[in-house]
Amino acid sequence: MEIKPLSEELKKKFMESIEFNKDHVHVIEMMDGWAVKREGSKKILKTLPTKDSAMDLVHELKNVTKVYVHPTSGDFTIETMDNG
């Protein structure tokens, strides 16, 4: 079976289908605190010393519909926001 490369049009459609939700924010426990970043972004908005302070920042951000909290334990929680 021969595998052919995707056409540019198919690549574009594929990339559009896996777009990230920029209205979702992730709060991730790190060694030096809690990092806050928008889904799909490589950039961390800010690292704060506590989960509570990170969540305070999230509540100040605009256009956030969901927050994913990732502690180092491996469990995570999802909070739905109403400030969309």
Side-chain angles (χ1 to χ4, degrees):
M1 176 181 198
E2 182 183 347
I3 299 175
K4 296 180 181 180
L6 290 176
S7 69
E8 289 303 313
E9 182 180 339
L10 283 176
K11 284 181 191 177
K12 183 179 177 185
K13 285 182 181 180
F14 174 74
M15 293 308 291
E16 288 171 355
S17 73
I18 60 167
E19 259 186 42
F20 294 102
N21 290 307
K22 299 212 184 277
D23 58 342
H24 293 182
V25 173
H26 292 260
V27 176
I28 307 150
E29 187 176 14
M30 311 287 275
M31 291 182 69
D32 58 342
W34 290 80
V36 178
K37 70 183 280 293
R38 289 218 181 246
E39 188 167 300
S41 175
K42 294 179 182 179
K43 181 182 174 187
I44 292 174
L45 297 173
K46 196 167 193 176
T47 301
L48 297 147
T50 66
K51 178 181 163 188
D52 288 339
S53 59
M55 291 302 291
D56 288 344
L57 174 63
V58 169
H59 288 280
E60 293 174 11
L61 296 174
K62 294 182 187 228
N63 301 321
V64 176
T65 59
K66 283 190 181 177
V67 182
Y68 296 84
V69 181
H70 304 270
T72 56
S73 66
D75 298 329
F76 72 93
T77 59
I78 302 170
E79 180 179 329
T80 302
M81 305 287 285
D82 61 6
N83 70 344

